Amino acid sequence: MDFKAKDVTFRATKQRRTDLMKALELEIFLCRSDNFGVLLHCHESNLTASIDAPEYAPIVAMAERRGWNITHILTTHHHGDHVEANLALKDRYGCEIIGPRNEAVAIPGIDRAVGDGDTFDFGGHVVQVIETPGHTAGHVCYHFPDSKLLFAADTLFALGCGRLFERPATDMWHSLQKLASLPDETAVYFGHEYTLANARFALTIDPDNERLKARAGEIERLRAEGKFTIPTTIGLEKETNPFLRAADPEIRRNLLMEGRTNEEVFAEIRRRKDHF
């Protein structure tokens, strides 16, 4: 091997090592009855973020098992099942709590308030804040574009979306469109294991969707085996999630809403899910 070839090999190996060091590692585990706990760890900086803080004991147990010190909590919204452990974790680890500006008064222990379009650094990784009102008035999602990760909490689920507690259907529809505009390969981590019920409902709205039928069968198998259905991807949700498919002609025909707006069709799908 000549000098130039050795140099290229060295640089390529060095780049692979650098990429490995910068890689983000995730641990997914159950909290409460159906909340997902998520720890996100950056090897290079040794930073660890908890995505929301639904329950103290499981989060600490996972952090201790991995030897990770929780340095941040990325809070998506103010509901108790997402912020319950904020203060206890902050007391134990001294972590920084980042959360939505429009709900800052309701986020226990918040240190930094962020809003739509803001960015911040997490161990050399850019984090984009996407405001997604609907489930709550100030809900935010955290997007890591370089790693193709989205933490959507209770805005976008696998085959579902969050209930509309604080904002109308029109707002949620537009929030979901923001997320749908992300690259199809973006991995979506959501807040609850609702996927089996969501799949059964989705088939009532879009029964002839072959991709959805195949996915529903896979979800039945995973849950029967006690396995999680997280993550999904933006592309898969666009193909199968009825809450992203209000413009689809088949869905409109099934709902007898062919002449209605996307927002009206979405609102009807959400209404039906609420009573499913």
Side-chain angles (χ1 to χ4, degrees):
M1 182 183 295
D2 62 22
F3 177 80
K4 288 185 179 180
K6 289 180 180 179
D7 184 57
V8 169
T9 301
F10 172 77
R11 284 188 282 111
T13 302
K14 182 179 180 182
Q15 182 62 51
R16 284 196 296 272
R17 289 173 179 166
T18 301
D19 290 343
L20 180 62
M21 290 175 67
K22 289 183 178 179
L24 293 171
E25 187 172 355
L26 288 95
E27 285 286 355
I28 312 296
F29 49 96
L30 208 59
C31 293
R32 303 170 67 91
S33 61
D34 55 34
N35 282 72
F36 282 120
V38 180
L39 292 183
L40 180 69
H41 181 73
C42 175
H43 293 278
E44 184 177 26
S45 61
N46 204 32
L47 299 179
T48 302
S50 179
I51 308 299
D52 287 325
E55 188 179 8
Y56 178 78
I59 295 171
V60 171
M62 181 58 72
E64 295 297 297
R65 185 172 78 80
R66 295 304 310 269
W68 295 346
N69 181 61
I70 298 175
T71 56
H72 297 78
I73 299 174
L74 305 187
T75 302
T76 61
H77 64 293
H78 69 82
H79 283 167
D81 62 329
H82 290 259
V83 301
E84 178 186 282
N86 272 23
L87 296 180
L89 291 173
K90 188 172 187 176
D91 183 63
R92 183 184 181 103
Y93 295 104
C95 48
E96 180 183 19
I97 299 177
I98 300 172
R101 181 174 297 120
N102 288 337
E103 296 181 4
V105 296
I107 306 298
I110 191 169
D111 298 295
R112 191 185 339 173
V114 293
D116 195 45
D118 287 349
T119 62
F120 59 91
D121 178 84
F122 178 76
H125 300 266
V126 173
V127 186
Q128 297 174 339
V129 180
I130 305 173
E131 194 167 296
T132 55
H135 182 66
T136 65
H139 194 299
V140 298
C141 300
Y142 297 100
H143 179 220
F144 289 67
D146 295 337
S147 301
K148 298 181 173 61
L149 300 174
L150 175 70
F151 299 97
D154 289 5
T155 295
L156 177 64
F157 295 119
L159 294 175
C161 76
R163 283 181 177 265
L164 307 181
F165 288 122
E166 297 180 11
R167 295 290 285 271
T170 298
D171 288 356
M172 180 62 112
W173 171 252
H174 290 294
S175 293
L176 291 172
Q177 295 313 291
K178 288 184 183 179
L179 302 186
S181 71
L182 297 176
D184 283 354
E185 62 271 22
T186 303
V188 181
Y189 290 83
F190 42 91
H192 295 268
E193 182 56 89
Y194 292 161
T195 312
L196 183 58
N198 288 346
R200 291 170 178 171
F201 170 74
L203 287 169
T204 71
I205 300 298
D206 197 12
D208 298 320
N209 184 331
E210 294 299 326
R211 186 71 179 88
L212 172 59
K213 287 191 282 187
R215 187 181 182 194
E218 175 66 8
I219 290 164
E220 292 273 1
R221 183 188 66 77
L222 287 172
R223 296 307 293 144
E225 295 174 357
K227 296 178 180 178
F228 296 151
T229 61
I230 194 170
T232 182
T233 67
I234 291 294
L236 184 55
E237 294 310 304
K238 284 159 64 174
E239 290 180 339
T240 57
N241 187 332
F243 293 99
L244 296 183
R245 293 168 53 76
D248 182 80
E250 285 295 321
I251 289 179
R252 286 167 167 264
R253 278 193 289 272
N254 292 337
L255 298 176
L256 303 179
M257 299 184 72
E258 291 167 272
R260 309 299 284 274
T261 67
N262 290 336
E263 290 87 346
E264 289 171 328
V265 175
F266 169 79
E268 175 61 14
I269 296 171
R270 184 64 257 179
R271 186 193 68 78
R272 293 189 182 206
K273 180 63 168 64
D274 291 344
H275 297 91
F276 181 69

Short mmCIF file of all heavy atoms in Angstrom, two decimals, residues 186-226:
data_model
loop_
_atom_site.label_atom_id
_atom_site.label_comp_id
_atom_site.label_asym_id
_atom_site.label_seq_id
_atom_site.Cartn_x
_atom_site.Cartn_y
_atom_site.Cartn_z
N THR A 186 -37.09 9.82 9.00
CA THR A 186 -37.00 10.28 10.39
C THR A 186 -37.66 9.27 11.33
O THR A 186 -38.82 8.90 11.16
CB THR A 186 -37.68 11.64 10.55
OG1 THR A 186 -37.08 12.59 9.66
CG2 THR A 186 -37.56 12.15 11.98
N ALA A 187 -36.92 8.83 12.32
CA ALA A 187 -37.45 7.90 13.32
C ALA A 187 -38.25 8.69 14.36
O ALA A 187 -37.76 9.68 14.91
CB ALA A 187 -36.33 7.13 14.00
N VAL A 188 -39.46 8.23 14.62
CA VAL A 188 -40.37 8.95 15.51
C VAL A 188 -40.53 8.16 16.81
O VAL A 188 -40.98 7.01 16.81
CB VAL A 188 -41.75 9.14 14.86
CG1 VAL A 188 -42.68 9.91 15.80
CG2 VAL A 188 -41.62 9.85 13.52
N TYR A 189 -40.18 8.81 17.93
CA TYR A 189 -40.36 8.23 19.25
C TYR A 189 -41.52 8.97 19.92
O TYR A 189 -41.50 10.19 20.04
CB TYR A 189 -39.08 8.36 20.07
CG TYR A 189 -37.99 7.46 19.54
CD1 TYR A 189 -37.19 7.85 18.47
CD2 TYR A 189 -37.81 6.18 20.08
CE1 TYR A 189 -36.22 7.00 17.96
CE2 TYR A 189 -36.84 5.33 19.57
CZ TYR A 189 -36.05 5.75 18.52
OH TYR A 189 -35.10 4.90 18.00
N PHE A 190 -42.51 8.21 20.33
CA PHE A 190 -43.76 8.79 20.83
C PHE A 190 -43.95 8.47 22.31
O PHE A 190 -43.19 7.67 22.89
CB PHE A 190 -44.94 8.31 19.99
CG PHE A 190 -44.91 6.85 19.63
CD1 PHE A 190 -45.50 5.89 20.42
CD2 PHE A 190 -44.24 6.43 18.47
CE1 PHE A 190 -45.46 4.55 20.09
CE2 PHE A 190 -44.19 5.08 18.12
CZ PHE A 190 -44.80 4.13 18.94
N GLY A 191 -44.97 9.05 22.91
CA GLY A 191 -45.07 9.04 24.37
C GLY A 191 -45.75 7.86 25.01
O GLY A 191 -45.55 7.61 26.21
N HIS A 192 -46.56 7.10 24.26
CA HIS A 192 -47.36 6.03 24.87
C HIS A 192 -47.44 4.82 23.96
O HIS A 192 -47.43 4.96 22.72
CB HIS A 192 -48.78 6.51 25.15
CG HIS A 192 -48.88 7.61 26.16
ND1 HIS A 192 -49.07 7.37 27.50
CD2 HIS A 192 -48.83 8.96 26.02
CE1 HIS A 192 -49.12 8.53 28.15
NE2 HIS A 192 -48.98 9.51 27.27
N GLU A 193 -47.60 3.64 24.57
CA GLU A 193 -47.80 2.41 23.82
C GLU A 193 -49.31 2.22 23.58
O GLU A 193 -49.99 1.47 24.28
CB GLU A 193 -47.21 1.22 24.58
CG GLU A 193 -47.32 -0.12 23.85
CD GLU A 193 -46.71 -0.10 22.47
OE1 GLU A 193 -45.51 -0.38 22.34
OE2 GLU A 193 -47.44 0.20 21.50
N TYR A 194 -49.82 2.98 22.59
CA TYR A 194 -51.23 2.92 22.21
C TYR A 194 -51.42 2.22 20.85
O TYR A 194 -52.52 2.24 20.30
CB TYR A 194 -51.79 4.34 22.06
CG TYR A 194 -51.90 5.16 23.31
CD1 TYR A 194 -52.01 6.56 23.20
CD2 TYR A 194 -51.93 4.60 24.58
CE1 TYR A 194 -52.14 7.35 24.33
CE2 TYR A 194 -52.05 5.39 25.70
CZ TYR A 194 -52.15 6.77 25.58
OH TYR A 194 -52.28 7.56 26.69
N THR A 195 -50.37 1.64 20.30
CA THR A 195 -50.37 1.31 18.88
C THR A 195 -51.39 0.24 18.50
O THR A 195 -51.99 0.31 17.42
CB THR A 195 -48.96 0.90 18.43
OG1 THR A 195 -48.02 1.86 18.91
CG2 THR A 195 -48.88 0.84 16.92
N LEU A 196 -51.60 -0.74 19.35
CA LEU A 196 -52.54 -1.81 19.01
C LEU A 196 -53.95 -1.26 18.86
O LEU A 196 -54.65 -1.54 17.87
CB LEU A 196 -52.50 -2.91 20.06
CG LEU A 196 -53.38 -4.13 19.79
CD1 LEU A 196 -53.03 -4.79 18.47
CD2 LEU A 196 -53.24 -5.14 20.94
N ALA A 197 -54.39 -0.46 19.81
CA ALA A 197 -55.72 0.16 19.72
C ALA A 197 -55.80 1.11 18.53
O ALA A 197 -56.82 1.18 17.83
CB ALA A 197 -56.06 0.90 21.01
N ASN A 198 -54.71 1.84 18.28
CA ASN A 198 -54.69 2.74 17.13
C ASN A 198 -54.83 1.98 15.82
O ASN A 198 -55.51 2.43 14.89
CB ASN A 198 -53.38 3.55 17.12
CG ASN A 198 -53.33 4.60 18.21
OD1 ASN A 198 -54.33 4.92 18.83
ND2 ASN A 198 -52.15 5.14 18.44
N ALA A 199 -54.16 0.84 15.72
CA ALA A 199 -54.24 0.04 14.49
C ALA A 199 -55.65 -0.47 14.24
O ALA A 199 -56.16 -0.43 13.11
CB ALA A 199 -53.26 -1.13 14.57
N ARG A 200 -56.30 -0.93 15.29
CA ARG A 200 -57.66 -1.43 15.15
C ARG A 200 -58.61 -0.32 14.71
O ARG A 200 -59.51 -0.54 13.89
CB ARG A 200 -58.11 -2.08 16.46
CG ARG A 200 -57.35 -3.38 16.75
CD ARG A 200 -57.59 -3.91 18.15
NE ARG A 200 -56.88 -5.18 18.36
CZ ARG A 200 -56.77 -5.79 19.53
NH1 ARG A 200 -57.31 -5.25 20.62
NH2 ARG A 200 -56.11 -6.94 19.62
N PHE A 201 -58.40 0.86 15.26
CA PHE A 201 -59.23 2.00 14.83
C PHE A 201 -58.91 2.40 13.40
O PHE A 201 -59.82 2.65 12.60
CB PHE A 201 -59.02 3.20 15.75
CG PHE A 201 -59.66 4.45 15.23
CD1 PHE A 201 -61.03 4.61 15.29
CD2 PHE A 201 -58.89 5.45 14.64
CE1 PHE A 201 -61.64 5.75 14.77
CE2 PHE A 201 -59.49 6.59 14.14
CZ PHE A 201 -60.87 6.74 14.20
N ALA A 202 -57.65 2.47 13.05
CA ALA A 202 -57.25 2.91 11.72
C ALA A 202 -57.91 2.05 10.64
O ALA A 202 -58.28 2.56 9.58
CB ALA A 202 -55.73 2.87 11.58
N LEU A 203 -58.06 0.77 10.90
CA LEU A 203 -58.68 -0.12 9.92
C LEU A 203 -60.16 0.18 9.70
O LEU A 203 -60.71 -0.15 8.66
CB LEU A 203 -58.51 -1.58 10.35
CG LEU A 203 -57.09 -2.13 10.21
CD1 LEU A 203 -56.97 -3.48 10.91
CD2 LEU A 203 -56.69 -2.25 8.74
N THR A 204 -60.80 0.84 10.66
CA THR A 204 -62.20 1.24 10.45
C THR A 204 -62.30 2.46 9.55
O THR A 204 -63.36 2.70 8.95
CB THR A 204 -62.90 1.56 11.79
OG1 THR A 204 -62.38 2.78 12.35
CG2 THR A 204 -62.72 0.42 12.79
N ILE A 205 -61.23 3.21 9.43
CA ILE A 205 -61.22 4.44 8.61
C ILE A 205 -60.65 4.16 7.22
O ILE A 205 -61.10 4.75 6.23
CB ILE A 205 -60.35 5.52 9.31
CG1 ILE A 205 -60.92 5.86 10.69
CG2 ILE A 205 -60.24 6.78 8.45
CD1 ILE A 205 -62.32 6.45 10.67
N ASP A 206 -59.70 3.26 7.14
CA ASP A 206 -58.96 3.00 5.90
C ASP A 206 -58.84 1.50 5.66
O ASP A 206 -57.75 0.96 5.58
CB ASP A 206 -57.57 3.66 6.05
CG ASP A 206 -56.83 3.86 4.75
OD1 ASP A 206 -57.46 3.70 3.68
OD2 ASP A 206 -55.63 4.18 4.81
N PRO A 207 -59.97 0.78 5.54
CA PRO A 207 -59.96 -0.70 5.57
C PRO A 207 -59.31 -1.35 4.36
O PRO A 207 -58.94 -2.53 4.44
CB PRO A 207 -61.44 -1.05 5.66
CG PRO A 207 -62.15 0.12 5.03
CD PRO A 207 -61.34 1.32 5.43
N ASP A 208 -59.18 -0.65 3.25
CA ASP A 208 -58.63 -1.26 2.04
C ASP A 208 -57.16 -0.94 1.83
O ASP A 208 -56.59 -1.28 0.78
CB ASP A 208 -59.43 -0.81 0.82
CG ASP A 208 -60.89 -1.25 0.91
OD1 ASP A 208 -61.12 -2.39 1.35
OD2 ASP A 208 -61.78 -0.46 0.54
N ASN A 209 -56.53 -0.30 2.80
CA ASN A 209 -55.12 0.06 2.70
C ASN A 209 -54.27 -1.17 3.00
O ASN A 209 -54.15 -1.61 4.15
CB ASN A 209 -54.82 1.19 3.71
CG ASN A 209 -53.40 1.71 3.62
OD1 ASN A 209 -52.48 1.01 3.25
ND2 ASN A 209 -53.23 2.98 3.98
N GLU A 210 -53.67 -1.76 1.96
CA GLU A 210 -52.92 -3.00 2.12
C GLU A 210 -51.71 -2.82 3.03
O GLU A 210 -51.37 -3.71 3.82
CB GLU A 210 -52.48 -3.53 0.75
CG GLU A 210 -53.62 -3.98 -0.15
CD GLU A 210 -54.42 -5.13 0.46
OE1 GLU A 210 -53.82 -5.97 1.16
OE2 GLU A 210 -55.65 -5.16 0.24
N ARG A 211 -51.07 -1.69 2.93
CA ARG A 211 -49.91 -1.41 3.80
C ARG A 211 -50.35 -1.36 5.25
O ARG A 211 -49.66 -1.88 6.14
CB ARG A 211 -49.25 -0.09 3.38
CG ARG A 211 -47.96 0.21 4.13
CD ARG A 211 -46.85 -0.71 3.68
NE ARG A 211 -45.61 -0.43 4.38
CZ ARG A 211 -45.27 -0.98 5.55
NH1 ARG A 211 -46.09 -1.83 6.16
NH2 ARG A 211 -44.11 -0.68 6.13
N LEU A 212 -51.50 -0.75 5.51
CA LEU A 212 -52.03 -0.67 6.87
C LEU A 212 -52.40 -2.05 7.39
O LEU A 212 -52.12 -2.39 8.54
CB LEU A 212 -53.24 0.27 6.91
CG LEU A 212 -54.02 0.31 8.22
CD1 LEU A 212 -53.14 0.73 9.37
CD2 LEU A 212 -55.22 1.26 8.08
N LYS A 213 -53.03 -2.86 6.56
CA LYS A 213 -53.43 -4.20 7.00
C LYS A 213 -52.22 -5.04 7.38
O LYS A 213 -52.22 -5.75 8.39
CB LYS A 213 -54.26 -4.88 5.91
CG LYS A 213 -55.66 -4.30 5.77
CD LYS A 213 -56.56 -5.15 4.89
CE LYS A 213 -56.27 -4.94 3.42
NZ LYS A 213 -57.28 -5.66 2.58
N ALA A 214 -51.17 -4.96 6.56
CA ALA A 214 -49.96 -5.70 6.88
C ALA A 214 -49.33 -5.19 8.17
O ALA A 214 -48.87 -5.98 9.02
CB ALA A 214 -48.97 -5.58 5.72
N ARG A 215 -49.33 -3.89 8.34
CA ARG A 215 -48.75 -3.31 9.55
C ARG A 215 -49.55 -3.70 10.78
O ARG A 215 -48.98 -4.01 11.83
CB ARG A 215 -48.69 -1.79 9.41
CG ARG A 215 -47.93 -1.13 10.54
CD ARG A 215 -47.89 0.38 10.42
NE ARG A 215 -47.12 0.95 11.51
CZ ARG A 215 -47.12 2.23 11.83
NH1 ARG A 215 -47.84 3.09 11.12
NH2 ARG A 215 -46.40 2.67 12.85
N ALA A 216 -50.87 -3.70 10.68
CA ALA A 216 -51.71 -4.08 11.81
C ALA A 216 -51.43 -5.51 12.25
O ALA A 216 -51.38 -5.81 13.45
CB ALA A 216 -53.18 -3.91 11.44
N GLY A 217 -51.21 -6.40 11.28
CA GLY A 217 -50.87 -7.77 11.62
C GLY A 217 -49.55 -7.87 12.35
O GLY A 217 -49.41 -8.64 13.32
N GLU A 218 -48.57 -7.08 11.92
CA GLU A 218 -47.26 -7.07 12.58
C GLU A 218 -47.38 -6.52 14.00
O GLU A 218 -46.74 -7.03 14.93
CB GLU A 218 -46.28 -6.23 11.76
CG GLU A 218 -44.90 -6.04 12.38
CD GLU A 218 -44.10 -7.32 12.50
OE1 GLU A 218 -44.53 -8.37 11.96
OE2 GLU A 218 -43.04 -7.29 13.15
N ILE A 219 -48.20 -5.51 14.18
CA ILE A 219 -48.40 -4.93 15.51
C ILE A 219 -49.06 -5.94 16.45
O ILE A 219 -48.67 -6.07 17.62
CB ILE A 219 -49.24 -3.64 15.40
CG1 ILE A 219 -48.40 -2.54 14.74
CG2 ILE A 219 -49.75 -3.18 16.77
CD1 ILE A 219 -49.21 -1.37 14.23
N GLU A 220 -50.05 -6.66 15.96
CA GLU A 220 -50.69 -7.72 16.75
C GLU A 220 -49.64 -8.72 17.23
O GLU A 220 -49.64 -9.15 18.40
CB GLU A 220 -51.76 -8.43 15.93
CG GLU A 220 -52.97 -7.58 15.57
CD GLU A 220 -54.04 -7.62 16.65
OE1 GLU A 220 -53.83 -8.30 17.69
OE2 GLU A 220 -55.10 -6.98 16.45
N ARG A 221 -48.72 -9.10 16.33
CA ARG A 221 -47.69 -10.08 16.68
C ARG A 221 -46.73 -9.50 17.73
O ARG A 221 -46.42 -10.18 18.73
CB ARG A 221 -46.90 -10.48 15.44
CG ARG A 221 -45.83 -11.55 15.70
CD ARG A 221 -44.95 -11.78 14.50
NE ARG A 221 -44.14 -10.62 14.17
CZ ARG A 221 -43.04 -10.27 14.84
NH1 ARG A 221 -42.63 -10.99 15.87
NH2 ARG A 221 -42.35 -9.21 14.47
N LEU A 222 -46.27 -8.29 17.52
CA LEU A 222 -45.34 -7.67 18.46
C LEU A 222 -45.93 -7.57 19.86
O LEU A 222 -45.28 -7.92 20.85
CB LEU A 222 -44.95 -6.27 17.97
CG LEU A 222 -44.00 -6.20 16.77
CD1 LEU A 222 -43.88 -4.76 16.28
CD2 LEU A 222 -42.63 -6.77 17.11
N ARG A 223 -47.17 -7.12 19.94
CA ARG A 223 -47.78 -6.95 21.26
C ARG A 223 -48.06 -8.29 21.92
O ARG A 223 -47.93 -8.44 23.14
CB ARG A 223 -49.06 -6.12 21.15
CG ARG A 223 -48.82 -4.69 20.68
CD ARG A 223 -47.77 -3.96 21.53
NE ARG A 223 -48.23 -3.74 22.88
CZ ARG A 223 -47.45 -3.79 23.96
NH1 ARG A 223 -46.16 -4.05 23.84
NH2 ARG A 223 -47.95 -3.58 25.15
N ALA A 224 -48.42 -9.30 21.12
CA ALA A 224 -48.64 -10.64 21.68
C ALA A 224 -47.35 -11.19 22.28
O ALA A 224 -47.38 -11.98 23.24
CB ALA A 224 -49.17 -11.57 20.60
N GLU A 225 -46.22 -10.77 21.72
CA GLU A 225 -44.91 -11.21 22.22
C GLU A 225 -44.36 -10.28 23.31
O GLU A 225 -43.24 -10.48 23.79
CB GLU A 225 -43.91 -11.28 21.06
CG GLU A 225 -44.26 -12.34 20.02
CD GLU A 225 -43.35 -12.29 18.81
OE1 GLU A 225 -42.47 -11.40 18.75
OE2 GLU A 225 -43.51 -13.15 17.91
N GLY A 226 -45.15 -9.27 23.69
CA GLY A 226 -44.72 -8.34 24.72
C GLY A 226 -43.68 -7.34 24.27
O GLY A 226 -42.98 -6.75 25.09
#
